[in-house]
Amino acid sequence: MMASGLAGLGYQIVWTQQCALWLGHESAAVLAVVTAFFGGLALGALLMGPRIERSGHAVRWYAACEVVIAAWGLVLLVVMAPFSTWLLNLTGVQPTPLWQWWLAFSGTFLLLLPATAAMGATLPAMERVTSQMHVGQRSIAALYASNTFGAVLGVLGATFWLVPELGLMRTAIVCVALNVLCAGAALLVFSAHGEPPSDPARSALPVAHGARGTLLRLAMAGLLGIGYEVLVVRVLSQVAEDTVYTFAMLLAVYLVGTALGAAAYQRWLARAVDADRLADRLLSALAMACLLGTASLWAAEWLQAWVLQAGGGEGMALAIGAEAVLALMAFGLPTLVMGALFSHLSASARAAGVSFGRALGVNTLAAALAPPLFGVLLAPMLGPKLVLLGIASAYLLLGTRRAWLTPWVWTPAVAALAMTIWAPPLAFITVPEGGHVVSYRDGVMAAVSVVEDAEGVARLRINNRQQEGSTSSRLVDARQALLPLLLHPSPQRALFLGLGTGVTSRSAAQDPRLQVDVVELLPEVIEASQHFKRVFDGEGPAPPINVMAADARRYVRASHQTYDVIVSDNFQPARSGSGALYTVEHFRAVRERLAEGGVFCQWLPLHQLDLATLRSIVKSFTTVYPGAWAILASNSLETPVIGLVGRADGGGFDPALLRQRLAASQMPIPPAAFGIEDEFALLGSMVAGPKALAHFAGEAAANTDDVPVVTYRAPRITYAPDSLPRDRLIALLNELSVMPEEVFDAAADQAWSDRMAAYWAARTQFIVAGRAVRPAGNVQDMLSQVREPLLSVLRTSPYFRPAYDPLLRMAGALSAGGDVPAGRALLTELARVQPDRPEAAQALAQMPDARP
């Protein structure tokens, strides 16, 4: 049973990730998979449980179920892809939530049904097999505990070893082998002991009085238990890192507690005389345990910080351990009692004439309803706090009337009422000193807020994590739209995957000739983006964009619309689900959406990426776009963002066309205002050509749907940063290079190529010099740090404006501050280094004692 549980959770990990690839990560799709999985388990227990109970060949039933699971696991390796394509086409580009949920649930339910139904029957079959070993009362607790402990091993083994090392398909094959071994071992071991006699008349025996009440309790226990899990995971995602490892630890702790509870029941409580009184005590204890677990959530941030500090504050193991402590505080006591309660109710149902298969089926069927009920309906409507307190109170309502006359019930009831009245909402929002919360929305998948600091700068937060962009970062946000758009000679339609604040896509929409479509996963983010329209105040109405609430990956695969330019946001690769947006298969699907000559740009947050993970992403991208280039969104050292650029036709760029493109811009604010004044500034963002990217990727493993390298590797730097973003950027630039002939369609003028090469060298020199710059209290101190490094950059390329402009501003500040000689000396040097620019000479001419 332990091996069977290991395989079962291994399958669940694999199939959930595989289904998400084609269903998408919308709330309807994610929760539908969980519901379908539980639904199949329930159906198997309900339909086959009674037949197994009457059969005299329970061992054969068990072995057959394991073989069916193994066989269907192999079948899915073949049919999953074509079935998913068919269902994806049936779903459409923008389905209604009801239609998407129905297709996701029914499609997944049918696809997994042979295996999940057989899984649901294995535990009743093994209980029937081992019933002959019980001298007295039959009990499921020991088998349930063993099966659940195996599930813990399945979660941890699949997440920390099997999937990262073997991939999804080969992990499924390992699970298939376990099923076959379980079937063979059962036939070998139990055939020697004989089988329990058949009992054809058992299902016809009258069910004892009170059986319906016991079944109702079993159903509610399944519903409330999974509901509690869904909500706690939802709340802790605002505190923990929300990676694949976070979910694994939360689920593992939940399962460990349940298994220990079942084992404790078998050891100390199984022979209780008064079954109803024990049930009342367990229900009251579970209500109080849920209240204590809920209370721990308010202290989650403090507890996590304390664990990290106590452990030294460094290391991935410590960070994951801190998340495990959070899970233990929230799940430990509740799941311990849940395991004991399920075991006791199952024993009570058997004493009342109800087969274990029916008891398990009722419990699991109700559990299948929990994700949509609590995750989709109640949590967004009432908030996690009220729903969690409601779950604890609901356990009390399942007790008998006599229980309400005891302190066992009144104590948790009063505690729940007090927490309802006085406890704050379960919302985690980091507000800077002097700042305030502009908006907050608790959605199905995430909590989304907009926070303003004391200076009025608004920032978007998802699950209390600050996202890229703000009302003060217009320059960088706009460049992430303009750079790829200006690389296309005449774009008519553009697609942005990811909305965020909306500043990037709305900056693109300022071009009156461009139609902009945007795909955003979270409806709450679409709503919150309205607060960032003020960035465009003074420029007329905010540019119109067509925003669609959908999963970016699913939209690209389902849509037939083509685009001249596609820009993919710099999604945090460590977050759950984001790694699927960096796979070979996704990049290939994007290529199919590009029109002739189309340009695709995938932005990557280097400040959230280690170089090893970046190599895998580059490998994946260049597999689809072998002629790709890399560009920098800006010269920022703290939040460097690198873009991978590919063309549908694999061609290069024509400098003359780019010059015409810039000159013909109809945007109300010209590209020059964003540092793109000419074709040199545009192409100057290039940091790598095809040869350098291929060399950088080297032998790194490509990130694919089957081997999700990024999903499992990217969290490492999130948990335990081993370097600063500026150091990673400079290390990357040292490995990359770009040559003019790799960028241009035709041979460029030699002088022009030399000028471009000098510009690229100056850019790298500028970034490296910035690493040594420290905050300064006045202009003189700053100038003493940057004067010679920036002048040296200008000597490499006089046309590198990011070095020219700050020196020009400092010269003006010196003069305005009374140090006219220092200002004049700096302007004189600037005019000498770059005589083609008039600003320094004009400033000299306007100085009070300037001479002709």
Side-chain angles (χ1 to χ4, degrees), residues 203-220:
S203 62
L205 292 176
V207 176
H209 177 70
R212 287 190 178 87
T214 301
L215 287 175
L216 175 61
R217 286 179 172 183
L218 275 164
M220 291 302 296

PDB file of all heavy atoms in Angstrom, residues 203-220:
ATOM      1  N   SER A 203     -24.236  -7.269   0.532  1.00  0.00           N
ATOM      2  CA  SER A 203     -24.815  -6.005   0.120  1.00  0.00           C
ATOM      3  C   SER A 203     -26.310  -5.959   0.334  1.00  0.00           C
ATOM      4  O   SER A 203     -26.915  -4.898   0.331  1.00  0.00           O
ATOM      5  CB  SER A 203     -24.497  -5.744  -1.361  1.00  0.00           C
ATOM      6  OG  SER A 203     -25.088  -6.757  -2.152  1.00  0.00           O
ATOM      7  N   ALA A 204     -26.927  -7.126   0.531  1.00  0.00           N
ATOM      8  CA  ALA A 204     -28.373  -7.144   0.748  1.00  0.00           C
ATOM      9  C   ALA A 204     -28.741  -7.002   2.213  1.00  0.00           C
ATOM     10  O   ALA A 204     -29.910  -6.867   2.554  1.00  0.00           O
ATOM     11  CB  ALA A 204     -28.963  -8.456   0.206  1.00  0.00           C
ATOM     12  N   LEU A 205     -27.751  -7.028   3.122  1.00  0.00           N
ATOM     13  CA  LEU A 205     -28.040  -6.906   4.540  1.00  0.00           C
ATOM     14  C   LEU A 205     -28.554  -5.511   4.844  1.00  0.00           C
ATOM     15  O   LEU A 205     -28.122  -4.523   4.253  1.00  0.00           O
ATOM     16  CB  LEU A 205     -26.777  -7.185   5.360  1.00  0.00           C
ATOM     17  CG  LEU A 205     -26.262  -8.627   5.326  1.00  0.00           C
ATOM     18  CD1 LEU A 205     -24.962  -8.717   6.107  1.00  0.00           C
ATOM     19  CD2 LEU A 205     -27.286  -9.588   5.899  1.00  0.00           C
ATOM     20  N   PRO A 206     -29.508  -5.385   5.776  1.00  0.00           N
ATOM     21  CA  PRO A 206     -30.043  -4.067   6.114  1.00  0.00           C
ATOM     22  C   PRO A 206     -28.966  -3.199   6.752  1.00  0.00           C
ATOM     23  O   PRO A 206     -28.135  -3.673   7.516  1.00  0.00           O
ATOM     24  CB  PRO A 206     -31.158  -4.388   7.111  1.00  0.00           C
ATOM     25  CG  PRO A 206     -30.783  -5.706   7.703  1.00  0.00           C
ATOM     26  CD  PRO A 206     -30.120  -6.460   6.594  1.00  0.00           C
ATOM     27  N   VAL A 207     -28.989  -1.938   6.401  1.00  0.00           N
ATOM     28  CA  VAL A 207     -28.037  -0.987   6.965  1.00  0.00           C
ATOM     29  C   VAL A 207     -28.566  -0.527   8.313  1.00  0.00           C
ATOM     30  O   VAL A 207     -29.741  -0.192   8.460  1.00  0.00           O
ATOM     31  CB  VAL A 207     -27.854   0.220   6.022  1.00  0.00           C
ATOM     32  CG1 VAL A 207     -26.947   1.252   6.656  1.00  0.00           C
ATOM     33  CG2 VAL A 207     -27.300  -0.244   4.684  1.00  0.00           C
ATOM     34  N   ALA A 208     -27.703  -0.526   9.313  1.00  0.00           N
ATOM     35  CA  ALA A 208     -28.118  -0.195  10.667  1.00  0.00           C
ATOM     36  C   ALA A 208     -28.544   1.259  10.772  1.00  0.00           C
ATOM     37  O   ALA A 208     -28.156   2.112   9.969  1.00  0.00           O
ATOM     38  CB  ALA A 208     -26.974  -0.476  11.636  1.00  0.00           C
ATOM     39  N   HIS A 209     -29.370   1.519  11.808  1.00  0.00           N
ATOM     40  CA  HIS A 209     -29.815   2.878  12.073  1.00  0.00           C
ATOM     41  C   HIS A 209     -28.608   3.760  12.371  1.00  0.00           C
ATOM     42  O   HIS A 209     -27.713   3.395  13.120  1.00  0.00           O
ATOM     43  CB  HIS A 209     -30.768   2.887  13.281  1.00  0.00           C
ATOM     44  CG  HIS A 209     -31.209   4.269  13.664  1.00  0.00           C
ATOM     45  ND1 HIS A 209     -32.062   4.995  12.879  1.00  0.00           N
ATOM     46  CD2 HIS A 209     -30.893   5.048  14.744  1.00  0.00           C
ATOM     47  CE1 HIS A 209     -32.266   6.180  13.455  1.00  0.00           C
ATOM     48  NE2 HIS A 209     -31.567   6.219  14.602  1.00  0.00           N
ATOM     49  N   GLY A 210     -28.560   4.934  11.801  1.00  0.00           N
ATOM     50  CA  GLY A 210     -27.439   5.838  12.007  1.00  0.00           C
ATOM     51  C   GLY A 210     -26.401   5.784  10.917  1.00  0.00           C
ATOM     52  O   GLY A 210     -25.466   6.588  10.926  1.00  0.00           O
ATOM     53  N   ALA A 211     -26.541   4.838   9.973  1.00  0.00           N
ATOM     54  CA  ALA A 211     -25.550   4.749   8.898  1.00  0.00           C
ATOM     55  C   ALA A 211     -25.568   5.998   8.025  1.00  0.00           C
ATOM     56  O   ALA A 211     -24.513   6.467   7.588  1.00  0.00           O
ATOM     57  CB  ALA A 211     -25.812   3.509   8.052  1.00  0.00           C
ATOM     58  N   ARG A 212     -26.779   6.534   7.795  1.00  0.00           N
ATOM     59  CA  ARG A 212     -26.852   7.741   6.953  1.00  0.00           C
ATOM     60  C   ARG A 212     -26.119   8.906   7.619  1.00  0.00           C
ATOM     61  O   ARG A 212     -25.460   9.698   6.953  1.00  0.00           O
ATOM     62  CB  ARG A 212     -28.306   8.106   6.692  1.00  0.00           C
ATOM     63  CG  ARG A 212     -29.011   7.171   5.725  1.00  0.00           C
ATOM     64  CD  ARG A 212     -30.364   7.726   5.315  1.00  0.00           C
ATOM     65  NE  ARG A 212     -31.029   6.855   4.362  1.00  0.00           N
ATOM     66  CZ  ARG A 212     -31.804   5.837   4.670  1.00  0.00           C
ATOM     67  NH1 ARG A 212     -32.021   5.539   5.951  1.00  0.00           N
ATOM     68  NH2 ARG A 212     -32.363   5.099   3.735  1.00  0.00           N
ATOM     69  N   GLY A 213     -26.262   9.003   8.943  1.00  0.00           N
ATOM     70  CA  GLY A 213     -25.544  10.053   9.647  1.00  0.00           C
ATOM     71  C   GLY A 213     -24.044   9.890   9.548  1.00  0.00           C
ATOM     72  O   GLY A 213     -23.295  10.866   9.391  1.00  0.00           O
ATOM     73  N   THR A 214     -23.583   8.651   9.629  1.00  0.00           N
ATOM     74  CA  THR A 214     -22.152   8.395   9.509  1.00  0.00           C
ATOM     75  C   THR A 214     -21.655   8.740   8.117  1.00  0.00           C
ATOM     76  O   THR A 214     -20.578   9.329   7.946  1.00  0.00           O
ATOM     77  CB  THR A 214     -21.848   6.928   9.825  1.00  0.00           C
ATOM     78  OG1 THR A 214     -22.300   6.628  11.152  1.00  0.00           O
ATOM     79  CG2 THR A 214     -20.358   6.646   9.730  1.00  0.00           C
ATOM     80  N   LEU A 215     -22.440   8.364   7.094  1.00  0.00           N
ATOM     81  CA  LEU A 215     -22.047   8.699   5.722  1.00  0.00           C
ATOM     82  C   LEU A 215     -22.038  10.207   5.508  1.00  0.00           C
ATOM     83  O   LEU A 215     -21.178  10.740   4.793  1.00  0.00           O
ATOM     84  CB  LEU A 215     -22.998   8.024   4.731  1.00  0.00           C
ATOM     85  CG  LEU A 215     -22.836   6.507   4.580  1.00  0.00           C
ATOM     86  CD1 LEU A 215     -23.912   5.949   3.665  1.00  0.00           C
ATOM     87  CD2 LEU A 215     -21.450   6.165   4.032  1.00  0.00           C
ATOM     88  N   LEU A 216     -23.010  10.910   6.115  1.00  0.00           N
ATOM     89  CA  LEU A 216     -23.022  12.369   6.006  1.00  0.00           C
ATOM     90  C   LEU A 216     -21.759  12.953   6.636  1.00  0.00           C
ATOM     91  O   LEU A 216     -21.133  13.866   6.090  1.00  0.00           O
ATOM     92  CB  LEU A 216     -24.259  12.942   6.691  1.00  0.00           C
ATOM     93  CG  LEU A 216     -24.341  14.475   6.747  1.00  0.00           C
ATOM     94  CD1 LEU A 216     -24.378  15.062   5.339  1.00  0.00           C
ATOM     95  CD2 LEU A 216     -25.566  14.928   7.557  1.00  0.00           C
ATOM     96  N   ARG A 217     -21.373  12.425   7.789  1.00  0.00           N
ATOM     97  CA  ARG A 217     -20.155  12.899   8.430  1.00  0.00           C
ATOM     98  C   ARG A 217     -18.929  12.619   7.566  1.00  0.00           C
ATOM     99  O   ARG A 217     -18.018  13.447   7.454  1.00  0.00           O
ATOM    100  CB  ARG A 217     -19.998  12.226   9.790  1.00  0.00           C
ATOM    101  CG  ARG A 217     -20.945  12.738  10.869  1.00  0.00           C
ATOM    102  CD  ARG A 217     -20.711  11.973  12.163  1.00  0.00           C
ATOM    103  NE  ARG A 217     -21.442  12.539  13.278  1.00  0.00           N
ATOM    104  CZ  ARG A 217     -21.362  12.102  14.520  1.00  0.00           C
ATOM    105  NH1 ARG A 217     -20.572  11.055  14.801  1.00  0.00           N
ATOM    106  NH2 ARG A 217     -22.051  12.665  15.498  1.00  0.00           N
ATOM    107  N   LEU A 218     -18.892  11.448   6.954  1.00  0.00           N
ATOM    108  CA  LEU A 218     -17.772  11.123   6.073  1.00  0.00           C
ATOM    109  C   LEU A 218     -17.701  12.088   4.889  1.00  0.00           C
ATOM    110  O   LEU A 218     -16.624  12.541   4.501  1.00  0.00           O
ATOM    111  CB  LEU A 218     -17.907   9.684   5.567  1.00  0.00           C
ATOM    112  CG  LEU A 218     -17.359   8.588   6.487  1.00  0.00           C
ATOM    113  CD1 LEU A 218     -17.890   7.226   6.061  1.00  0.00           C
ATOM    114  CD2 LEU A 218     -15.826   8.593   6.479  1.00  0.00           C
ATOM    115  N   ALA A 219     -18.868  12.374   4.316  1.00  0.00           N
ATOM    116  CA  ALA A 219     -18.901  13.302   3.186  1.00  0.00           C
ATOM    117  C   ALA A 219     -18.432  14.693   3.610  1.00  0.00           C
ATOM    118  O   ALA A 219     -17.601  15.322   2.945  1.00  0.00           O
ATOM    119  CB  ALA A 219     -20.305  13.370   2.602  1.00  0.00           C
ATOM    120  N   MET A 220     -18.951  15.181   4.732  1.00  0.00           N
ATOM    121  CA  MET A 220     -18.573  16.511   5.187  1.00  0.00           C
ATOM    122  C   MET A 220     -17.099  16.560   5.604  1.00  0.00           C
ATOM    123  O   MET A 220     -16.427  17.578   5.415  1.00  0.00           O
ATOM    124  CB  MET A 220     -19.460  16.926   6.360  1.00  0.00           C
ATOM    125  CG  MET A 220     -20.912  17.182   5.976  1.00  0.00           C
ATOM    126  SD  MET A 220     -21.079  18.468   4.710  1.00  0.00           S
ATOM    127  CE  MET A 220     -20.461  19.895   5.604  1.00  0.00           C
TER     128      MET A 220
END
